[in-house]
Amino acid sequence: MSTDAADLARLASLLADETRAAMCLALLDGRAWTAGELAAHAGVARSTATEHLHRLIGGGLLAEERQGRHRYVRLADPAAAQLIEDLSAHLTPAVAPARGLRQAASSAAMKRARTCYDHLAGELGVAVADAMTAKGLLDQRAGFALTDDGLAWLTTDAGLDPADLRRSRRPLARGCLDWTERRPHLAGVAGARLCERFMAQRWVVRIGTGRAVKVTPAGREGLRALLGID
């Protein structure tokens, strides 16, 4: 077996466990979690969660941060987030009946709007990408590329820092296949910075402690003025 094949098999084995997969999916919210939080989310003992986290950190999918006596983990980098989201997009969403109103409401909220690591996803994320495309700011015909008008729009109308956009080694714009909408939303530096901007302006706020977000009344007005999104 070649070294590349062995390395790929090791990487795949990291996600071939339901507990580790659940942890990685939870971390797609872009935040740092404690081992205890991830243990509760995955429904396992803290000692079990710690063992799984050691494997994920050793395999390069997660990174560890320490603040005083507290230990946190997060996805290692945008590439790790992209890998997990891309794998999720290959799955056919399960159509199972929700167990109660709470679960049904949670699933509906995730479908409407959520974060995908550091950018917007769900119906909202796809709507932003579609609106940018309709306005000639984004070209989806051959991959995802910002047009000249799109670059200008990001630093004028959207108020992003042009120096910040240039200094990143990540792609400026990248299509990320949305696992609920089955269509792409905007990822890359542009997607991340727009998400940051919308949250800083309180146009979009988180719902609870998960990945779901919602558009505020101010956000509805702002998105309508900025992109014509109703």
Side-chain angles (χ1 to χ4, degrees):
M1 183 183 293
S2 70
T3 302
D4 288 347
D7 289 342
L8 180 60
R10 277 192 292 270
L11 177 61
S13 72
L14 292 175
L15 295 173
D17 177 273
E18 189 171 347
T19 296
R20 291 194 293 274
M23 291 175 171
C24 289
L25 286 171
L27 289 166
L28 276 177
D29 69 358
R31 294 180 288 183
W33 291 47
T34 66
E37 290 169 337
L38 286 170
H41 176 80
V44 297
R46 180 165 181 154
S47 58
T48 302
T50 299
E51 293 176 6
H52 286 301
L53 291 175
H54 283 321
R55 289 198 60 181
L56 290 167
I57 292 168
L61 286 179
L62 302 187
E64 182 180 22
E65 296 179 1
R66 290 187 181 273
Q67 291 185 5
R69 299 180 349 184
H70 300 288
R71 175 194 179 213
Y72 298 88
V73 292
R74 62 169 65 247
L75 290 173
D77 50 35
Q82 179 182 339
L83 172 66
I84 294 164
E85 185 70 13
D86 287 349
L87 286 172
S88 299
H90 283 280
L91 304 176
T92 300
V95 186
R99 296 181 222 160
L101 290 175
R102 185 172 182 178
Q103 186 180 41
S106 176
S107 297
M110 282 280 284
K111 186 177 187 303
R112 282 194 301 270
R114 65 183 182 276
T115 53
C116 172
Y117 186 54
D118 60 1
H119 54 272
L120 294 171
E123 293 172 2
L124 176 61
V126 171
V128 168
D130 285 349
M132 290 179 66
T133 302
K135 286 181 171 291
L137 309 175
L138 185 66
D139 187 349
Q140 296 192 40
R141 292 172 299 180
F144 253 54
L146 288 165
T147 65
D148 290 341
D149 287 344
L151 286 169
W153 176 85
L154 284 176
T155 58
T156 53
D157 297 51
L160 302 186
D161 181 359
D164 178 52
L165 295 175
R166 287 194 299 268
R167 75 170 63 101
S168 177
R169 295 182 181 179
R170 295 172 62 186
L172 185 56
R174 181 180 67 79
C176 183
L177 182 61
D178 197 285
W179 61 269
T180 54
E181 297 305 293
R182 319 309 286 178
R183 298 178 52 224
H185 55 247
L186 177 63
V189 178
R193 297 299 177 264
L194 283 176
C195 181
E196 286 179 6
R197 183 77 171 172
F198 294 167
M199 287 190 166
Q201 292 176 307
R202 302 288 293 175
W203 287 8
V204 174
V205 296
R206 292 191 182 276
I207 302 175
T209 59
R211 294 170 57 193
V213 298
K214 67 178 181 180
V215 179
T216 65
R220 285 195 289 271
E221 293 181 10
L223 289 170
R224 187 181 300 116
L226 185 66
L227 286 168
I229 296 175
D230 292 323

